[in-house]
Amino acid sequence: MIKNILQSNLVYSFVRDISAIAGALVLVVFIFCALFAPVLAPMDPYDLTTVELSNSLMAPAWMDTGSLSFPLGTDDQGRGILSTILFGLRTSLMVGFSVVVISSILGIIFGMLGGYYGGILDAFIMRTADTVFAFSTTLLAILLLGIFQSRNIWTVVFAICIAGWVKYARTIRGSVLEVKENAYITAAKSSGAKDFRILFRHVLPNALPPVFVLMAVDLAVVIMLEATLSFLGVGVPITEPSLGMMISIGKNYIYAGMWWMVLFPGLTLILLVVAINLFSDWLRDEMNPKLALRS
Amino acid sequence: KSDLVIAVDSPPKSMNPHSYNSDANLSYMANFFDGLLQRPAPEGRLAPALAIEWTRKDALTWEFKLRKGVKFHNGNPFTAEDVKFTFERMKDPEFSKFLNIANSIASIETPDDFTVVFTTEKPVPWFAETMHQNFIVDKESSLKRDSGDYNTKPIGTGAYKFVEWVKGSYIRMEANPDYWEGAPVFKTVEIKPITEDSTRFAAIATRQAHILSGVPIPMIELIKKNPAIEVVSRPARRAIYMDIGNKPGTPFADVRVRKAIAMAINEDEIVSTVMRGQATPAAQVPDTATIGYDPELKRLPYDPEQSKALLKEAGYENGFEITIAGPNDRYVNDKQICEAVARYLARIGLKVTLDVKPKSIFFDELSSNKHDFYLIGWMDGSYDFGRSAQLLLHTVDPDKGMGVYNGAMYSDPKLDEMIAASSAILDREERKAALQAINKKSVEDIAWIPLHYQQDVYAVSKAANVIFTPRPDMWIVAKEIKR
Amino acid sequence: MKTPLAAVTNLKVHFPIKKGILARTVGYVYAVDGISFEIMPGETVGIVGESGCGKTTAGMAMVQLTPITSGTVQWKGRDMATMNRSGLRALRREMQLIFQDPYSSLNPRMTVRQILSDPMDVHDMFTGRQRKERIDFLLDTVGLSPGQADLYPHEFSGGQRQRIGIARALALDPTLIIGDEPVSALDVSIQAQIINLLKRLKRDFNLSLIIISHDLAVVEYICDRIIVMYLGKIVEAADYASLYKDPKHPYTRTLMSAIPVPDPARRTRRIILKGDVPSPINPPAGCRFHTRCPDRMDICDKQEPAMQRFNDGHTAACHLYNNTYADHSHATPTKGDNP
Amino acid sequence: MDKNSSEPVLSIDNLKTHFFSRKGVARAVDGVSFDLTPGEVTGIVGESGCGKSVTALSVMGLVPNPPGRVVDGRILFHGKNLLDLDIKALRKIRGAGIAMIFQEPMSSLNPVYTIGNQISEMFRLHKGYNKKQALAAAVDMLDRVQIPSPGKRVNEYPHQLSGGMRQRAMIAMAMSCDPEILIADEPTTALDVTVQAQILDLMHRLKDDFSTAIQLITHDLGVIAEMADQVVVMYAGQVVEQARTRELFQHTLHPYTRGLLASIPVLGHRTRGMDEDLVEIKGMIPSLHDLPAGCRFSNRCPQVMDKCKNHLPDLTEMGAGHQVRCWLHTKGRSA
Amino acid sequence: MGRYIFQRICQGVVVLLAVSFICFLIFRFTGDPVLMLAGKYATQQEREQVRIAYGLDRPFYVQYANFLGNALKGNFGKSYISQVDALDTILERFPATFELALTAIFISLSAGVLLGVVVSIKPKSLVSRLIMAGSLGGISIPTFLMGILWVMLFAVYLEWLPPFGRGETVQIGPWRTGFLTLDGLKHIIMPALTLSGYQLAVILRLTRAGMREVLSEEYIKTAWSKGLSPFTVIVKHALRNVLIPVVTIAGLSFGELIAFSIVTESIFQWPGMGNLLLVSIFETDHPVIVTYIMMAAFIILAINILVDLLYAWLNPKIQYN
Ligand SMILES: Nc1ncnc2c1ncn2[C@@H]1O[C@H](COP(=O)(O)OP(=O)(O)OP(=O)(O)O)[C@@H](O)[C@H]1O
Ligand SMILES: Nc1ncnc2c1ncn2[C@@H]1O[C@H](COP(=O)(O)OP(=O)(O)OP(=O)(O)O)[C@@H](O)[C@H]1O
Ligand SMILES: [Mg+2]
Ligand SMILES: [Mg+2]
C-alpha cells in the first residue's frame, strides 16, 4: 500500500505545491522540537530546582528588560517562554496524536463492522454515533472533564476520544458502503474468501484514504480543542502546560503589557494548526477521487 | 443607567441570605438585609444594627434588644418574631447553610416584641461575633412564598431594595428611603459579576463600571498608570497558609521536618513576585482583628541551609516524596503560590509532586483527608480564634464537629485540651490570653505554615466621584460608599 | 441424456424493500421471478434482456452470492442449498465470474500478480514455484505479457483490465464461467478482441459459459443457446439459430428490430414500443410484457402465459401460441422486421 | 461537399482545442473541420476519448477552462465566428440558435428543480414569456416529445422520471426555442435498445418538423447508419474520414473505419453461416499527450507503411464529398 | 411525513432517556454534592442531615426513578447552589444563548456561503487567495484567543464596542431579548463574530468545495448551454445544489456551536447557558448540569429533525413516508 501511495502522483504533486511543503516542513520541525525538547530547550521548565521566581515576567531578550538567557522572555513563574513552548508543544502534539490514533482505530473498527455487516449492529453503532455527534466532541469533553476527579493528559485524551471516534466511524462506514459495492469485493467473495480476509485485505485498504485526510484535519482540531479545554480550566494539569494552558495563563497579562506570554505560544499554536491545515488541504484535494482522476 | 456600577469577581448564587456562607454571596446580601449587628468599614468592629444592645447573660444565654420602628421592604414591621423565625429557619438544611450556628442554639425566647434571648447547647463564646452575617428575614412573607421566589427575590430591612436580578448579567437595587440609618447616597446601584479576569479589567478600562473589586494582580501596575483610575487596597483578613499534619509514620510526624519545610519557603519572594507586593507575610493564621491574635509571634526565617540541616538531623538527608495540593481557582494566585512552594521544597532536596485542582474537587478531597500538605486560606467570620481552632487544629472528630477542616489530620492532645477549655471562658481578656496560648503553641509546633495575608485590591474610577472604603471582609456594602 | 452441469429450477429472488428505523419490509423487488434453465458441460448459454430484468441477479443467485427466495440450483445434480459453508466455498472454485465493469472489478491496491494469487491463496492451490508459472500462463492465455504482472490495474486500458478479470476467472481452473456483461463497458474495437478471446477460451479449455448481455448480437456471436428475459421471467429460450431465424415472442422480435444495424442500406421499419419498462416492484399482472406489447390481446393482462415448447428446445411464453386463444392474424410473425 | 445540400448553417474550420495540464498538452481536438447542414443529421463517430465531446463543447463555448482552451480555428455560425463573440452575444446564441443535449440523462438535468421549471426557463429567457405562458409552453413541449400526461409530469423532478423520459425532457428543453442546430452528445448510450429506438425515432421526426441541423455524436455505427445523412469519423483528435452515409459504408476508405465496421458483431451474421472471428483492431489508441509523429492510426493499422510512421497525411477529397486522411489514398495526389 | 417526524421524536425520547441515565450514572460515582450543600463548616452529622433532606442517601435506582418521574412533570430538581428550580435556571439563560447562536449561525451561513461562492468563481484571483488565507486563520486561531483579541482591540483600545455582557434587554413575556435595543445589538456583535469565526471558515470551505464539484456537473453544462446568465447559473442552478450539504452540515454542527458558546460566553460574560454550565461544573451542581445536558440534547435533537426536514425540502429526491 505504501508503495502504491508513493508511486502515485501524490509525491509529484506534493513537490509542486508550495503551501503543502511549507505546512509539512513546519509540522516536521515542530514534531522534531517536541521530541527533542529536553535537549533543545535552554532550560527544563519543569525542573523545579532550576526555575527561579526572581526571573519571572521578563521581557524577550531584545527588549530593555530582557535577558539573553530567556530569548522569548519568561512567564509569571520565571520559566522561559521558549523552553515552555517546546515542552508545551510536546503535550499538545502528544494529546493530538494520541487522540487521533486511538479514536481513528476505534472509529475504523466500528465503522467497518457497521458498514460491512449492516443490520442491527450497524443501526446500533450509528444511533450511538448520532447521539454522540449531536453533542459534539467539545461539549462531551468539557462535561466529562468537568466531572473527572483528577485530570491528567490521559484523561483529556480519553475524554476527547469518547466522542472522537464518531467521525471516523461515519467516514469509514461511508466509504465501506461504497467500496463493498465494487465488483472486486464480489469477486473476492466468489473466490470463496472468508469475511475476515475480505474485510482486511480488500475492503479496508480501499476504504482508508478518506480517513487519512480526516486524521490530518482532526489533528489540528484536537490540538485546538485541548487548548480550549485548558482555557476553560478542564484541560491538562498545570504541571504539564500545553500551548493552550500557556495562553490562558498569559491572557491575564496582556493588558499588563506582557504580551509575550500570549503572543509566542499563540503564534506557535496558530502556526501548528495552519501547517496541519495546509498539509491536509493538499491531502484532501489529492485524495478526492473526482479531482485525482485528472491524472 | 445606574448611579453606581460595581463589577465584582463572583456572581451571587442565591438571594436567600442563608443559602450560602461565602463572603462573595454575603456581600450581596448585606445590601438587602441587616443582621442583628454589623461590622462597618474600615475596621469591622462589631456595631449595633437591628439590635441596639446585646449581653451574654451566662455561658449559654445571650440577650439582644431590638431596634424599634424598622420596616421590611414589603412594609411589614420588624419584630422579635422575625428574629426567632430566622434562626429557626436556619436549622433547615433546605434553606440554610448556617447549620453550624443554628444548631448550636437550644432555644429562642421572645419576652417581648423587641427582646430576644438565645440559649445555646454548649458555650459558644463567639455567638455575638457572628451576628453580622446572620441576616434577618421577614417571617410573614417568607412563609408565604415558595422557595423559588424566596431564593431569588430578597425582602429584608437593608439600605437597598431589590429591583432585578438578571442571572449572569447584573443585580439592580434602589435606595430604601425609609432606611433606619437614613437613605443611602446612591439612588440606584448595579452590581455586575464578571468572572473572567481580563474582561473584568476591560470593564473598568472602558468605564463600564465605577468600582472594581478583585483587581487581577497582573493588572495592578497597569491600573496605577491609568490617570482615570485609582487603586484602593487594604490588607485582607484572610491568611493563606500551608496546612501540614503530623500523622505518625509519615515524615511530617517529626517536628524538625515540619520546621525544615517552613524555613525553606521564601515568603518575601512570593510576596514580591507572585503577589506583586499585594500581600503581607504572616506569622500566624488569625489576623489582627481576631481575638487570639498574638503580636509577639514571629515568622521563622527563610534559611534553606538550616532546612537541609534539619532534614539531615531528622534522617531525611536524601529527601522524601511530598505532594503539594491546593485549589487553583479559590485564592489570589493560589496555583502560582503552590508552584513556588514546590520549587522551594525541591531546592532542599524533596521530591515534589504538584496536585492543584478546581476548588470543588479539592475541598471534596480535603474532607476525606486525602492530603498531608496543602495550600488553603482562612478567615474567620466570627473574629474569634476559638472557633477557628476547633475547626482547624483540633483532632479530627466528626461526631463532635471538631477538626472539620483539619484536612491534614494534625493532632495534639494537649492542644485539644486547651481548645476545649477555652470555650467555657467568658471573660474577654481571659479568653484572649487562652486563645493566644493556643495560637502560639500551634505556631511553635508547626501545626501549619502561615504564608501571608492577602491584600484586597479595588479599582475606582475617578470620574465617578465616589469615596470607597474597603472593608476587611471584602463585602461591598453600597450604603457605605459615599460621594 | 447427460446430467446438466448446473440446473436452475423455478428460481425466485425477491429483494425486500426496507423502510424506516425498524427496517420493516414494505414490499419486494421481484428481480427474478421463477426461471428454469440448465447448462450442459461445454455449452455456452446467453442471457439477454433489458436493464433491470434480472440477468445479473440470476447469475449471482447461481453462484449463491445472492440469497435465493425459492427454487433450487443444482450443481452436477446436487442441490447447492444443502451444502454447508465450507462445501460451498470449495465449490466456488468451480464456478467463476467475469464482471461487467472492468474498472471496479479489480482491487486498485493490488498488483495483477496479487489479484491472480488471491483466489489461489484462498484455496491453497498452486503454491511455490507453480504459482509463478501459473500466473505467467494465465497472462499469456488472455494475451498479456508476463512482464506486466507487477503493474497495478490503473496502468492498464479497459480492454486489458477485462483480460485480467478473465485471467482471474480462469485462475482456479473452473468448470463454469459466468460472464456478466463482459464487453458492454468496452469500446467497439476492444469489444471484438474480448469476444474473440472468450470464443477461443471456450474451445481451448472446454469451458461452460454463461454470457449475460443486453446485446443480442454479441450473445448470438458466442452462444449456443440464448435465453431472453423480461422483468424477472424467461419469455423465450432457443438455439441461437432457431431464435434468430424464427423469434416467437413479440418482445424478442422487438428487441431484434431495435438493434441498429450498421448498414444504411438496410434501414428498416422498426417496432417502436410505447412506454417504459415497468418496475419489478409491482410487475404488471398477466403477461408482463402486455403493457408494451404490439400484439396485445384481451387475455394478456389477465392470465400469465405458460411456457410453450416448439421444435427441439425452442420455448416461448406467449398467448399468441396458445391454440385456444390464438388469433391468427397476430400469430403470424411480422415479416420484414428482420433483414 | 455534397452539392445537393443547402448552405451550411455551421462550419467548423481547423478547430484545435487543447488541454494544458501538468502532464503536458493533450491535443484533444487537433484540426477538425466539418459543416452542419439544415435538416440533416451529421453523425460523428469514433472511439472513446477521440475528441467528439470536446468538439461539441467548443462549439458551445463550454470547454472547461482551465485546463482547456480553443487554440486555433474558426466556428462560423451564420458567418459569425463564435470564438470571437463575447459571453453576452454567445449567450443569445446558446439555447436559441444552438442547443445541446448530453449523454447522461440523469446528471444533465438539475436534480433540485422540476422539469417544468427547467424547460420553461428557456421560454422565459429567449422568448420573454411570463411564468404562466412559459409553463404552458413547457407542457406543450413535453407533449411534442411524447411524454404521457405532460400536465402532470411538468411538476415532477428528474429523479421521478425514467431514463427514457428524462432524455425526452432534455430533448424537449433543447428543442423548445426552435434552435437551428441541435448537438446531441451520445443521447442514447445510457439507454436500453428499445428505449433508444424510441428516442432516435423522436429525433428523426423533430428534425423533419423543424428542419434542424443535428450533430449526432455516438460511438455506435449502427445508430449512425440509421440516423445520419453525413458521417464524420474521428480518431485521436482528428477527422480521418468524412462522407455521405451510404458512401461511407459502401466505399469505406480509411483502414480505421474499415476495422471499426468489421469489428462490430452484426445480428444474424453467425446464423447466416458467417461464423468466423470478428476482425480486431489490435493495440490501443495513442495517448493524446504523446501522439505519433505520423499518422495517428499508424501503430494499429494493418496496412501501415514506412511513410505512415513519420508523415501525417492530409484530409483529402476523394470526390462526392468523401474525404479521407490516409496515405493509401493520398499518395498519388500529394506528390 | 408526519409518520417520519413521529418516528424521529420517538427516537429522540429514547436518546434523551439514555442520556439522562448516563448522566446519572456518572454523577453517582463522581463528586459528592453534600459537601457543597452542607457548607464548609458542616459536621459529619450535619452532612448526614443534608444527605437525607435531599434524598441522596437512597439507592441509585430510586434516585433515578424519582428523577425520571419528576422530569416528566418538568421538574428537574433544584439547583444545589441557588436552591431554585434547575429547569427555570436554565430556561432563564436560554434566550441569551439562543440569540447568540442564532446570530452566529446567521453570520457564518450568510458570509460563509457568499465568500465561498466568490472564491469558487475566481479561485486564482488575489481576492480569493486573501479570503482563503483569512479562512485558514479563522480555523486556526482558537476561539478564546480570538475573543480576547477582539475585546482588546475593539473595546479597550478603539472603544467602539462594549467589552462584555448583553447590554440593555427587553423582556417580552418569558423571553428576554437583546435584539430590540441598539445597546443590545452593539453588545452581540463581538461575541457573535467570535462564535461564528470557526463555523464561517468551515462553511466557506464547504461551499467552495461544493461549488467546485457542482460546477463541473453535467447539469451545469446544460444550464450554460441554455444561454443563461452566469448569475442564474451560479445562484439558481449551482448554489441550490451546494446548499443541500452545506446547510445539513451547518445544522448538524449546531452541537459544536453550543459547545463553543461556552467558551465565548465565558470571555464576554454573556449571561447564557454555557456560562452557567461552567460555573455549575466547578461547583458540582448536578441538577443544573443534568438539566443542561438534557436541554442541550433536546435542542440538538430538535435541530437535527429540523435539518432533516429542511434537507427534504431542499432536496426533492428525499421523501419521507
Ligand atoms: N441487492 C438488491 N437489493 C434490491 N434490489 C436489487 C438488488 N439487486 C438488484 N436489485 C433489483 O433487481 C432488479 C434486477 O436487477 P439486475 O441487476 O439483476 O438486473 P440486470 O438485468 O442485470 O440489469 P442491468 O442490465 O442493468 O445490469 C433491478 O430492478 C434491481 O434494481
Ligand atoms: N476537462 C478536461 N481536462 C483534461 N482533459 C480533458 C478534459 N476533457 C476532455 N479531456 C481530454 O480530451 C480528450 C477528448 O475527450 P472527449 O470527451 O471529447 O472524448 P469523446 O470522444 O467524447 O469520448 P467518449 O466517447 O468517451 O465521450 C480525452 O482524451 C480527454 O482526456
Ligand atoms: Mg446487470
Ligand atoms: Mg464524450
Side-chain angles (χ1 to χ4, degrees), chain C residues 16-80:
Chain C
I17 305 169
K18 298 200 166 153
K19 281 265 166 70
I21 32 161
L22 301 173
R24 274 171 309 107
T25 304
V26 296
Y28 290 94
V29 181
Y30 298 93
V32 170
D33 203 18
I35 61 170
S36 309
F37 64 90
E38 42 195 46
I39 176 165
M40 294 297 168
E43 193 189 19
T44 305
V45 173
I47 304 182
V48 284
E50 276 174 295
S51 174
C53 71
K55 308 180 295 287
T56 302
T57 309
M60 291 293 170
M62 273 191 78
V63 288
Q64 311 283 309
L65 281 172
T66 275
I68 291 172
T69 309
S70 74
T72 56
V73 179
Q74 286 183 328
W75 178 255
K76 292 181 179 164
R78 274 184 67 200
D79 187 349
M80 285 172 74

Side-chain angles (χ1 to χ4, degrees), chain B residues 143-165:
Chain B
L143 281 175
K144 214 169 55 191
R145 299 192 293 164
D146 67 27
S147 68
D149 201 54
Y150 180 72
N151 288 324
T152 50
K153 298 205 176 77
I155 298 176
T157 56
Y160 283 90
K161 287 186 184 173
F162 171 84
V163 175
E164 187 183 27
W165 176 21

Side-chain angles (χ1 to χ4, degrees), chain D residues 49 52-54 103 185-186 217:
Chain D
K52 307 182 297 286
S53 298
V54 173
Q103 175 169 2
D185 188 358
E186 316 217 18
I217 298 174

Side-chain angles (χ1 to χ4, degrees), chain C residues 55-56 100 180-181 212:
Chain C
K55 308 180 295 287
T56 302
Q100 164 167 16
D180 187 1
E181 317 227 16
I212 295 171

Side-chain angles (χ1 to χ4, degrees), chain C residues 106-107 109-119 135 139 144-146 148-154 156 160-161 164-165 167-168:
Chain C
L106 304 175
N107 189 333
R109 287 172 202 283
M110 287 182 161
T111 60
V112 172
R113 186 182 304 284
Q114 288 168 323
I115 289 170
L116 295 181
S117 302
D118 194 59
I135 287 172
L139 288 177
L144 294 171
S145 82
Q148 291 170 302
D150 291 310
L151 299 180
Y152 285 89
H154 71 257
F156 292 91
Q160 288 175 318
R161 287 177 187 215
I164 300 169
R168 172 176 57 194

